[in-house]
Amino acid sequence: MTNNKYHDIASEILEIVGPDNIVSATHCATRLRLIVKDKDKIDTKAIEKVDEVKGTFFNSGQYQIILGTGIVNKVFEELEAMNVSTIDKSQQDEYVKSQEKGIKALMRTIGDIVVPIVPVIAATSLFLGLKGVIFNDNVLSLFGLSTDIFPDYLNSLVSVLTDTVFSFLPALITMSAFCVFKGTPMIGLVIGLMLVAPQLPNAYSVASGDAKAIMVGGFLPVMGAQGSVVTAILTGYIGATIERKL
């Protein structure tokens, strides 16, 4: 054993996994991520006995060793010094994506599209919940008040805060899809806004009977894509594919 704890950990991992078995290595905040030739050659129980190792799992060609924040980067530096082939995380992620097929690849793609939008949906949902509590006669009556105390313009302004994301969700999804499918995000945003353009009948109004769809050629109904996630994703895929080919 040496005086360098992280060198010893890296050496043990390298010996158990096998230097010739490692195609490339990288790391994220907590995990050492190895692309290996044959995961069956790795003694997982031996890996988990190495100092500071908190667990392992294998996913889409990556053998991932959980080391923890502040430890993994130091172990990774030691592996680099041992001439282990290393690449950045984005390159390894591209390799992992290329190994996924079928439903697994589809779910990852959908996740890549939706995850960047989740924070704004979560924040807006929180505001929407607060609005439902504050602008509620049953709640206000506990304090001897009613919603009459709020001017009409205040309700309109608060609705801008709570409704915008959901009103233009297809535009956000189309832009995100363009990013995932290697298109230009700004083009995706513009096309997504076209899906909910005010010139088109609102999909919710058409569904409730308050408006009628535009009939193209007398048989093809056209309306806004409010609330349509699948339409937005397909639009992003088709649009980005056409852009790349042109």
Side-chain angles (χ1 to χ4, degrees):
M1 298 289 285
T2 70
N3 292 326
N4 188 332
K5 168 184 175 180
Y6 304 107
H7 176 85
D8 294 336
I9 294 172
S11 295
E12 287 186 65
I13 290 174
L14 186 60
E15 182 179 352
I16 296 169
V17 176
D20 297 332
N21 195 26
I22 298 176
V23 176
S24 66
T26 188
H27 73 92
C28 58
T30 60
R31 289 162 286 151
L32 181 65
R33 300 165 57 168
L34 307 174
I35 293 178
V36 296
K37 297 175 183 176
D38 186 355
K39 70 180 181 66
D40 294 328
K41 291 183 177 180
I42 303 172
D43 186 344
T44 295
K45 291 183 178 179
I47 289 284
E48 292 177 348
K49 290 179 181 179
V50 175
D51 187 27
E52 298 292 353
V53 172
K54 300 172 179 63
T56 65
F57 63 94
F58 184 82
N59 183 43
S60 302
Q62 280 185 327
Y63 190 81
Q64 303 196 31
I65 303 172
I66 305 170
L67 291 165
T69 305
I71 298 174
V72 64
N73 54 306
K74 294 177 181 177
V75 172
F76 179 75
E77 288 172 2
E78 294 296 333
L79 285 174
E80 281 187 302
M82 297 174 188
N83 296 320
V84 172
S85 175
T86 59
I87 56 176
D88 63 48
K89 182 175 175 294
S90 61
Q91 289 175 305
Q92 199 171 82
D93 285 344
E94 286 299 319
Y95 172 83
V96 170
K97 290 179 182 179
S98 71
Q99 300 303 300
E100 293 177 338
K101 307 295 180 185
I103 295 297
K104 197 167 187 178
L106 177 63
M107 296 307 296
R108 172 183 271 273
T109 299
I110 293 174
D112 289 344
I113 293 171
V114 175
V115 166
I117 307 171
V118 168
V120 292
I121 292 177
T124 301
S125 298
L126 177 61
F127 287 128
L128 195 59
L130 290 173
K131 177 188 176 184
V133 172
I134 296 172
F135 289 80
N136 188 306
D137 281 320
N138 292 328
V139 174
L140 292 173
S141 65
L142 299 175
F143 304 95
L145 302 172
S146 73
T147 52
D148 293 334
I149 65 172
F150 299 119
D152 291 338
Y153 71 81
L154 182 61
N155 187 56
S156 298
L157 291 176
V158 172
S159 294
V160 171
L161 181 66
T162 58
D163 299 351
T164 299
V165 167
F166 297 106
S167 297
F168 294 97
L169 186 59
L172 299 178
I173 291 174
T174 305
M175 181 178 71
S176 184
F178 259 72
C179 291
V180 170
F181 297 124
K182 311 300 182 186
T184 303
M186 192 56 64
I187 295 177
L189 177 61
V190 173
I191 294 176
L193 289 171
M194 291 178 184
L195 294 178
V196 290
Q199 293 86 351
L200 297 176
N202 186 290
Y204 299 125
S205 298
V206 172
S208 64
D210 295 330
K212 292 183 178 181
I214 298 172
M215 300 303 295
V216 178
F219 68 93
L220 180 64
V222 175
M223 68 192 82
Q226 286 83 5
S228 182
V229 173
V230 174
T231 299
I233 292 175
L234 288 175
T235 300
Y237 171 73
I238 294 170
T241 300
I242 293 173
E243 182 194 353
R244 290 200 313 274
K245 290 185 179 301
L246 292 177

